[in-house]
Amino acid sequence: MSADESPDVVVLRQKIHGLPSEGYAETLRERLPDRKNVVRARTPVEERELLREAPVATGFSIPEHVLADAENLELFACVFAGTGHLSMEAFEEQGVAVTNAAGVHGPNIAEQVVGSLIAFARRFHVAWRQKERNEWRSYQTTELQGSTVTVVGLGALGEAIVDRLDAFGVETVGVRYTPEKGGPTDEVVGFDDEQGFHDALARSEYVVVACPLTETTRGLLDANAFKTMDPDTVLVNVGRGPVVDTEALLDALRGNAIRGAALDVTDPEPLPEDHELWGFDNVLITPHNAGHTPKYWERMADIVAENVEKLDAGEDDFTNRVV
């Protein structure tokens, strides 16, 4: 960037899923050819200076004291789907619109969920253990087809999961804040419908958590919920760890009250090396890794480029706007 050029889009230094932000900047330049000066900040000083001039910034977060000096900033594109780490009040006071990365994770996380369901249905964990012992011995399995899957959360992620389950011949129940809106599932119940929610849990072979962490969802899968589930139920959590009460989950696993769990997120997180969850043969743990995909920056850049064009046109109905 020459001395007389002002940045149009600033890519902050923060990385995500081990992907360097330079790749993000390069992809944005491709999406905005010959129109936008996309600059990647390399140091804290550069970041502060660029944010004072740029109308658009994208990254994980902007500290409040830095945001206060970003006089020209109009849009911040957060590269996370969750924005609970941001001070929304500060952005509102500054008059800066905020968007998130909803939908970017859809294909990869949905594939992880489907993979987890198939792994438990076909009991691949048993095969791995027997392979380690060079043991050729038949074992019983089940089918995913004909089962009932409850998906807790019908946002972009939940919808992507349901879309991929369609080919497997399963019954689906969706849980959302506004059940009157319906959804892609065979049935929809509300978070505040205790009877409907527990009825879904009682008849589901698989319960998939794909919702954000809110006051409503914190501890939603508690001891009472596990008591309702059938012993053949598998829990899959790709949402947020605290949506599931860890002690209640441990009690359920200890007492064989559920068939098992596939956890990409935990509470606490990272999961300590000596945590009891590591010791269960019927618990698959991945280190908050479902969101990783080499296509992350491509999908994120598509959203940002579309919103930059809207900003240029004087529009403010930004895709994925949260503030």
Side-chain angles (χ1 to χ4, degrees):
M1 183 177 71
S2 63
D4 59 347
E5 282 186 302
S6 295
D8 295 298
V9 180
V10 175
V11 176
L12 305 183
R13 294 171 296 128
Q14 299 127 342
K15 299 176 285 291
I16 185 171
H17 298 305
L19 299 171
S21 56
E22 179 55 40
Y24 185 24
E26 287 292 343
T27 306
L28 278 172
R29 293 182 190 113
E30 294 172 4
R31 297 294 192 277
L32 298 165
D34 305 321
R35 293 181 56 253
K36 289 291 166 184
N37 185 21
V38 179
V39 183
R40 172 180 172 266
R42 297 174 300 167
T43 67
V45 173
E46 281 187 5
E47 206 161 76
R48 290 193 295 270
E49 291 177 349
L50 290 167
L51 282 169
R52 290 191 186 101
E53 302 179 50
V56 179
T58 181
F60 177 64
S61 65
I62 301 177
E64 288 188 48
H65 69 280
V66 176
L67 179 63
D69 291 333
E71 298 178 356
N72 296 313
L73 192 63
E74 299 179 64
L75 172 64
F76 175 63
C78 179
V79 296
F80 267 31
T83 54
H85 61 286
L86 300 176
S87 173
M88 294 305 186
E89 296 80 5
F91 282 97
E92 286 184 297
E93 290 176 7
Q94 195 77 0
V96 178
V98 178
T99 61
N100 67 9
V104 171
H105 301 86
N108 43 292
I109 295 185
E111 287 181 6
Q112 172 133 345
V113 169
V114 172
S116 297
L117 302 189
I118 293 174
F120 271 92
R122 305 309 301 168
R123 300 184 72 198
F124 289 148
H125 56 293
V126 174
W128 278 114
R129 289 202 303 272
Q130 291 188 181
K131 179 179 178 294
E132 291 173 353
R133 300 191 295 265
N134 300 336
E135 181 179 349
W136 181 277
R137 181 165 61 90
S138 179
Y139 56 90
Q140 293 185 331
T141 66
T142 61
E143 293 183 1
L144 186 55
Q145 178 176 273
S147 61
T148 298
V149 182
T150 288
V151 180
V152 182
L154 283 183
L157 176 55
E159 289 193 357
I161 292 167
V162 173
D163 179 64
R164 283 153 181 80
L165 286 174
D166 184 60
F168 289 90
V170 300
E171 289 292 316
T172 53
V173 182
V175 184
R176 69 186 311 171
Y177 289 103
T178 51
E180 62 274 9
K181 289 184 178 179
T185 49
D186 296 304
E187 183 182 339
V188 179
V189 300
F191 279 109
D192 59 354
D193 180 1
E194 183 179 12
Q195 173 61 30
F197 179 57
H198 276 261
D199 179 67
L201 295 181
R203 53 193 168 93
S204 294
E205 283 84 2
Y206 302 93
V207 175
V208 179
V209 177
C211 60
L213 179 64
T214 66
E215 290 184 8
T216 298
T217 63
R218 183 180 292 275
L220 180 70
L221 277 300
D222 57 8
N224 201 28
F226 285 112
K227 188 181 296 183
T228 297
M229 292 180 196
D230 188 272
D232 196 41
T233 301
V234 173
L235 172 71
V236 179
N237 190 359
V238 291
R240 287 293 181 266
V243 175
V244 176
D245 183 319
T246 301
E247 284 304 316
L249 172 59
L250 285 169
D251 285 342
L253 291 166
R254 294 184 195 113
N256 293 317
I258 60 173
R259 181 160 38 122
L263 309 174
D264 187 59
V265 290
T266 59
D267 182 26
E269 189 175 309
L271 195 64
E273 292 182 8
D274 60 350
H275 199 281
E276 188 176 352
L277 277 173
W278 290 112
F280 291 95
D281 288 340
N282 58 341
V283 176
L284 171 65
I285 297 174
T286 50
H288 207 143
N289 206 62
H292 183 272
T293 169
K295 297 183 182 296
Y296 198 97
W297 291 142
E298 293 178 27
R299 295 177 187 144
M300 190 69 217
D302 287 340
I303 296 171
V304 175
E306 179 182 349
N307 286 334
V308 167
E309 291 174 357
K310 288 183 177 182
L311 184 65
D312 287 347
E315 303 172 9
D316 61 3
D317 59 331
F318 303 120
T319 299
N320 289 357
R321 182 167 184 169
V322 293
V323 168

